[in-house]
Amino acid sequence: MIGQLRLLSRRIKGVVQCTRKFSEFLQLSPETSDALQHNRPLVALESTIITHGMPYPENIRTAVEVEGIIRKNGATPATVAILKGKVHIGLTSEQLEELACDENTIKTSRRDFPVVLGKKLSGGTTVSGTMIAAHKVGIPVFVTGGIGGVHRGAEKSMDISTDLTELGRTPVAVVCAGVKSILDIGRTLEYLETQGVCVASYGNSFDFPAFFTPKSGFTAPYNVLDPTEAAKLIDSSLSFGVGSGMLIAVPIPEEHAAAGEVIEQAIQQAVMEAQARSITGKDVTPFILQRVNELTEGQSLQANIALIKNNADIGSKIAIELSALRKQKIDRNIKQDLGSNSQSSNCKIQVSSSNQIVNGKKTNLKRLHPQTMFDSDKDVKMSGSISTHRSYGTECPANPPEMSNGGSSFSGRPVVVGGSNVDFVTTIPRSVIPNGGRSNVEIANTMLAQLLRPDGGTYSGEVRQSYGGVGRNIADGLARLGCNPFFISAVGRDINGDALLNSCRHMDIQGVARPDGHSTATYNATLWPTGELMLGSGHMYIHCWITPDYISTFEETISQAPIVCIDGNITEKAIEHVCDLCSKYRIPVWFEPTEMHHARKPFQTRAFEYITFTSPNRDELRAMARATGIGDAVSTSDQRQLSEQDILDECISLCQHLVEYIPNIIVTLGKYGVLVFRDKQGPFMCERGNTTKMETALSAYHYPVCFDDSPVDIVSVSGAGDSLVAAMVYGIIHGYDPHMCVKAGLLAARQSLQFHQAIPPTLSPNLMNVQDIEKLMSWKPTRLL
């Protein structure tokens, strides 16, 4: 973690403003925020039922009663609505009343968000709109009355609800009374199948309900009997990363189904009236529901209210079961024999002298190279649509193929093995630092003497808690970039562990062990006002529980990975074991040193023979060079007085030696950017099991910190390096050319500077568009060798 905090310290005076954050448009209620923070079950609720589905005061009365049912069952309701240009998730009673009485709200689906948010309007969210908001904050269960679908006569009008396409691309489970009865139910079910949506009826029958009636004449492809079965379906979909939503169709209670035939006749009449009045699009449903209510003298409204309440009762029970199921998976015990294979308390690993580096030399290298990585001098042809990368004469995918490398598809997903920490970061306020807070050599000793006298006193500082660990951060970044990484780590069965895992709700954490009797790793850092590390300390013993035997339980997942990332927090033996597995399956390995002492670990065993990439900072680069038998090119006392050219010369000198051991070295240089040093000699992985030889050719490229727009205010540098690694790995497995990989990494690092979180919440695949990256960084890197 020390390496993480140093990684890009004193970083980036000339960087740019990031895109506007989603948090600018998002407001969580205290109740919703508390439930998310403590991993309690939540149920999302739409608001078009309030704004467009029912008259006042039935709308507000129903909304309050539905929320009450969910709370009574033990879950937290989170009604979603847009108020004055901000998406609210969870509403107060006053906000519900305001929404119920406002006649100017806009029915807001996916297409409407830009207008409603941009013009600061208010809107009721549809099924589609609510799914989007719920997914953004991690609420997996959503209750509504019924969903939209394929309208009658759609073969001519092409009128198909966006609810269906949203279900096909947003992983939220929708609990409802089936498809609204005014629609073409058969075609709707066919369209849901086309979109890859799992549809299951709820209860003892496969009959698919038709909103007001329990039987539509169509059957659902699947059935769940109770909340437990439904929760298992949802959990399996989320855990596997299917990526689409799920529909749980709940029939209306029998006591309210008797009026179904009367209501159906009224629906047919209302449909004909809508056609006669040329009512189309999103105005159809509100008109027909209101007209049916009039024709049935209120029977349809009462049935509507009854089915919504029933859905809320069942949906909240499903959410509770799902929360309990996922908590059980997080809390599962590691294998009984894990303790017998753990390291001693100091985690020292004995290795035979035959595996040691002798006189700084190595033998029998078997390292692996992804196909296009750092092959800067050749044009790379990619399958699929491409756009010319004009700066370098190579080609990058405009829409990169999912989990592919150089056109070779991988069935697996990236694996990350490393540390998970709860971080406590203290920043010395700028106001108490002489000379405006600059931490240069001339004032460093004075600052230390003034601020850190060992006199038992308390000194001013801003303290923040966050969640880190280099491995966790890289996995977080890859998850936000849509790579669905598998994360192997360990946390304690304590409050810190619960909080840390809660912060990882968007990640697959089934590989995180929770051994009894050990506390979650913690790290405490003190930073200068500029974000540079002053000093740090940590308790990391639990990472010793990431043993070779524990890692081996995930060998099948590792064997399918396009790349495996490991950090220096795990033991030497664990690092060696991961590298052995990756050698067995010809998987490239990325080693992130984390800090200068951990940087030496691969060289204490034979692990270095199988590492393809590493990303040290200058201190870590020196430590790695020393571990291979070479001293620093420059004495430590002279470090801060070096010019940019001196620093580059020093790093190139060290890399020329280290590249004999690790073929791709990405050196992070703080405010001076990134140096990429590569040795093209040796095996080169074109695809699994197929290697060809390449000619010897060392290369060194310098990537400065330079963007084609205005600079930003730096909030924290603690996660910039990990964001850079995550984005570069994303580029590698999606077949980006090497220069674009580095630029994508710099862009992700730039975003992280503006957040206290290590990985910026705005990180997403949309930021990795090669054309947009090229616009921000149109310059070419400088070739130094």
Side-chain angles (χ1 to χ4, degrees):
M1 193 62 185
I2 295 174
Q4 175 195 356
L5 287 165
R6 284 180 176 164
L7 195 57
L8 297 177
S9 60
R10 299 169 62 203
R11 167 115 171 137
I12 308 181
K13 302 293 183 181
V15 292
V16 303
Q17 287 285 358
C18 70
T19 56
R20 299 176 70 185
K21 314 177 205 41
F22 181 76
S23 57
E24 178 183 348
F25 301 106
L26 179 65
Q27 180 67 55
L28 299 181
S29 70
E31 184 182 25
T32 301
S33 180
D34 185 67
L36 285 171
Q37 182 179 354
H38 294 92
N39 207 22
R40 289 195 288 266
L42 282 127
V43 176
L45 298 168
E46 67 159 288
S47 50
T48 49
I49 290 178
I50 303 172
T51 59
H52 294 79
M54 295 182 185
Y56 184 87
E58 284 83 359
N59 55 357
I60 180 64
R61 185 183 303 121
T62 301
V64 171
E65 290 174 353
V66 165
E67 288 197 348
I69 291 169
I70 293 171
R71 289 192 181 94
K72 182 179 179 181
N73 285 342
T76 300
T79 301
V80 178
I82 304 174
L83 300 176
K84 298 177 181 177
K86 181 160 286 192
V87 179
H88 287 255
I89 301 181
L91 301 180
T92 65
S93 56
E94 292 80 9
Q95 289 170 331
L96 282 172
E97 183 72 31
E98 175 187 345
L99 200 65
C101 296
D102 190 348
E103 297 181 355
N104 297 314
T105 54
I106 295 175
K107 190 176 182 181
T108 307
S109 187
R110 176 179 281 269
R111 71 165 188 179
D112 307 298
F113 272 111
V115 174
V116 180
L117 297 179
K119 293 187 176 183
K120 300 189 181 304
L121 304 175
S122 295
T125 54
T126 64
V127 169
S128 169
T130 306
M131 288 181 71
I132 293 170
H135 177 55
K136 282 190 178 293
V137 298
I139 301 177
V141 177
F142 161 38
V143 164
T144 185
I147 64 166
V150 178
H151 282 256
R152 303 183 188 196
E155 66 275 12
K156 296 180 180 179
S157 67
M158 296 300 294
D159 193 352
I160 300 173
S161 171
T162 188
D163 294 352
L164 304 187
T165 52
E166 202 64 54
L167 276 161
R169 60 183 170 185
T170 302
V172 171
V174 179
V175 181
C176 67
V179 177
K180 293 170 182 174
S181 53
I182 59 175
L183 304 171
D184 188 325
I185 296 176
R187 285 190 172 93
T188 297
L189 289 172
E190 289 289 343
Y191 196 84
L192 285 170
E193 180 183 355
T194 301
Q195 292 293 312
V197 179
C198 179
V199 178
S201 62
Y202 182 90
N204 297 317
S205 172
F206 275 80
D207 287 318
F208 187 79
F211 204 65
F212 290 119
T213 60
K215 297 181 180 181
S216 64
F218 297 89
T219 57
Y222 301 103
N223 171 259
V224 291
L225 292 174
D226 52 36
T228 301
E229 283 195 6
K232 288 179 179 179
L233 256 65
I234 298 168
D235 176 67
S236 64
S237 179
L238 294 174
S239 297
F240 189 65
V242 173
S244 57
M246 181 178 297
L247 189 68
I248 307 296
V250 181
I252 188 173
E254 284 295 334
E255 61 268 25
H256 294 279
E261 292 186 8
V262 175
I263 297 173
E264 185 61 32
Q265 292 175 1
I267 289 173
Q268 297 298 332
Q269 180 177 337
V271 168
M272 290 188 291
E273 291 181 11
Q275 293 173 346
R277 299 186 188 186
S278 299
I279 297 173
T280 60
K282 64 182 181 180
D283 296 326
V284 172
T285 299
F287 170 81
I288 291 180
L289 291 178
Q290 180 179 348
R291 185 65 181 130
V292 169
N293 184 52
E294 294 170 355
L295 292 171
T296 60
E297 298 180 345
Q299 289 186 68
S300 66
L301 177 60
Q302 294 308 310
N304 193 2
I305 293 172
L307 67 84
I308 291 171
K309 289 181 179 180
N310 185 56
N311 294 345
D313 179 56
I314 293 172
S316 58
K317 291 175 180 176
I318 292 173
I320 292 167
E321 289 293 328
L322 176 63
S323 178
L325 178 61
R326 294 181 74 80
K327 189 174 189 304
Q328 289 171 8
K329 294 176 73 172
I330 292 173
D331 291 342
R332 76 190 188 284
N333 290 322
I334 58 176
K335 288 187 174 181
Q336 292 182 352
D337 62 346
L338 181 61
S340 63
N341 295 305
S342 63
Q343 287 86 351
S344 60
S345 59
N346 59 7
C347 296
K348 296 296 183 182
I349 306 300
Q350 297 298 322
V351 295
S352 65
S353 59
S354 62
N355 288 331
Q356 300 284 345
I357 296 172
V358 180
N359 295 326
K361 299 297 181 182
K362 64 177 187 327
T363 58
N364 299 323
L365 293 185
K366 299 176 183 178
R367 62 202 182 208
L368 304 175
H369 301 235
Q371 181 179 2
T372 60
M373 188 57 196
F374 302 113
D375 187 10
S376 308
D377 303 320
K378 297 184 68 177
D379 287 349
V380 181
K381 299 293 184 181
M382 301 293 299
S383 62
S385 61
I386 56 176
S387 62
T388 302
H389 183 190
R390 291 167 296 179
S391 297
Y392 312 112
T394 58
E395 295 177 332
C396 294
N399 297 299
E402 179 120 66
M403 307 304 288
S404 67
N405 184 1
S408 300
S409 296
F410 296 104
S411 59
R413 49 194 177 135
V415 173
V416 181
V417 187
S420 300
N421 308 334
V422 176
D423 298 335
F424 300 91
V425 180
T426 302
T427 303
I428 303 301
R430 189 173 296 272
S431 60
V432 302
I433 304 297
N435 296 342
R438 293 180 297 108
S439 57
N440 53 37
V441 174
E442 291 77 18
I443 65 171
N445 291 334
T446 301
M447 295 162 73
L448 284 170
Q450 290 179 345
L451 298 174
L452 298 176
R453 291 192 299 270
D455 57 3
T458 299
Y459 298 94
S460 177
E462 179 181 328
V463 181
R464 287 184 177 272
Q465 176 182 325
S466 60
Y467 304 104
V470 170
R472 192 215 74 90
N473 292 344
I474 294 173
D476 185 357
L478 288 170
R480 294 182 187 278
L481 289 170
C483 294
N484 190 25
F486 189 80
F487 182 41
I488 302 172
S489 188
V491 301
R493 293 181 179 275
D494 51 21
I495 295 176
N496 283 337
D498 292 342
L500 195 154
L501 291 178
N502 184 63
S503 74
C504 302
R505 289 165 57 94
H506 59 294
M507 298 161 51
D508 184 347
I509 52 177
Q510 295 184 70
V512 179
R514 302 198 74 178
D516 293 321
H518 293 275
S519 58
T520 300
T522 54
Y523 177 76
N524 183 31
T526 302
L527 308 181
W528 299 114
T530 53
E532 299 173 76
L533 180 69
M534 180 188 297
L535 57 89
S537 62
H539 176 68
M540 307 286 181
Y541 174 71
I542 196 170
H543 296 148
C544 293
W545 283 80
I546 309 172
T547 65
D549 282 350
Y550 183 67
I551 293 168
S552 290
T553 62
F554 307 109
E555 181 173 347
E556 183 177 354
T557 301
I558 292 172
S559 72
Q560 297 297 317
I563 190 170
V564 172
C565 301
I566 54 177
D567 77 16
N569 285 311
I570 61 177
T571 66
E572 294 97 329
K573 200 65 176 176
I575 290 172
E576 181 184 31
H577 185 68
V578 172
C579 290
D580 284 342
L581 287 176
C582 290
S583 173
K584 175 181 176 181
Y585 296 107
R586 306 196 63 76
I587 310 296
V589 177
W590 186 302
F591 173 65
E592 218 305 320
T594 73
E595 62 97 26
M596 60 187 297
H597 299 101
H598 294 341
R600 306 175 185 180
K601 288 184 177 181
F603 305 98
Q604 307 307 312
T605 67
R606 46 192 285 276
F608 67 90
E609 297 182 6
Y610 310 111
I611 293 175
T612 313
F613 306 96
T614 188
S615 47
N617 63 17
R618 287 169 58 207
D619 289 335
E620 294 155 3
L621 179 64
R622 293 188 183 97
M624 296 172 83
R626 284 195 295 270
T628 60
I630 186 175
D632 291 349
V634 180
S635 66
T636 302
S637 60
D638 294 333
Q639 292 177 29
R640 291 182 178 270
Q641 302 176 37
L642 296 177
S643 67
E644 179 178 8
Q645 189 58 53
D646 290 337
I647 290 171
L648 290 171
D649 290 343
E650 176 200 9
C651 291
I652 288 173
S653 176
L654 295 174
C655 286
Q656 283 177 315
H657 173 77
L658 188 61
V659 80
E660 296 179 18
Y661 302 87
I662 299 175
N664 298 297
I665 307 168
I666 298 89
V667 186
T668 55
L669 302 172
K671 65 181 180 181
Y672 297 124
V674 173
L675 173 72
V676 175
F677 199 102
R678 180 182 180 251
D679 175 10
K680 294 183 183 176
Q681 185 180 13
F684 188 81
M685 191 181 80
C686 293
E687 54 187 51
R688 291 182 195 272
N690 180 25
T691 61
T692 59
K693 291 286 184 179
M694 296 192 66
E695 297 179 358
T696 303
L698 297 179
S699 66
Y701 283 90
H702 178 223
Y703 297 79
V705 178
C706 183
F707 295 86
D708 296 341
D709 54 7
S710 56
V712 298
D713 293 327
I714 298 176
V715 174
S716 172
V717 303
S718 63
D722 299 336
S723 297
L724 179 139
V725 171
M728 286 192 65
V729 170
Y730 172 91
I732 292 170
I733 63 180
H734 284 82
Y736 284 12
D737 80 71
H739 297 303
M740 191 57 65
C741 286
V742 180
K743 288 186 174 184
L746 288 173
L747 178 61
R750 183 273 307 266
Q751 284 241 327
S752 75
L753 298 175
Q754 299 170 84
F755 294 88
H756 288 289
Q757 300 98 315
I759 301 299
T762 53
L763 194 62
S764 73
N766 293 334
L767 296 174
M768 298 293 104
N769 181 279
V770 293
Q771 290 89 353
D772 293 341
I773 295 173
E774 182 64 14
K775 287 179 182 178
L776 283 174
M777 293 172 278
S778 57
W779 42 264
K780 295 182 180 180
T782 303
R783 182 159 188 172
L784 304 177
L785 187 67

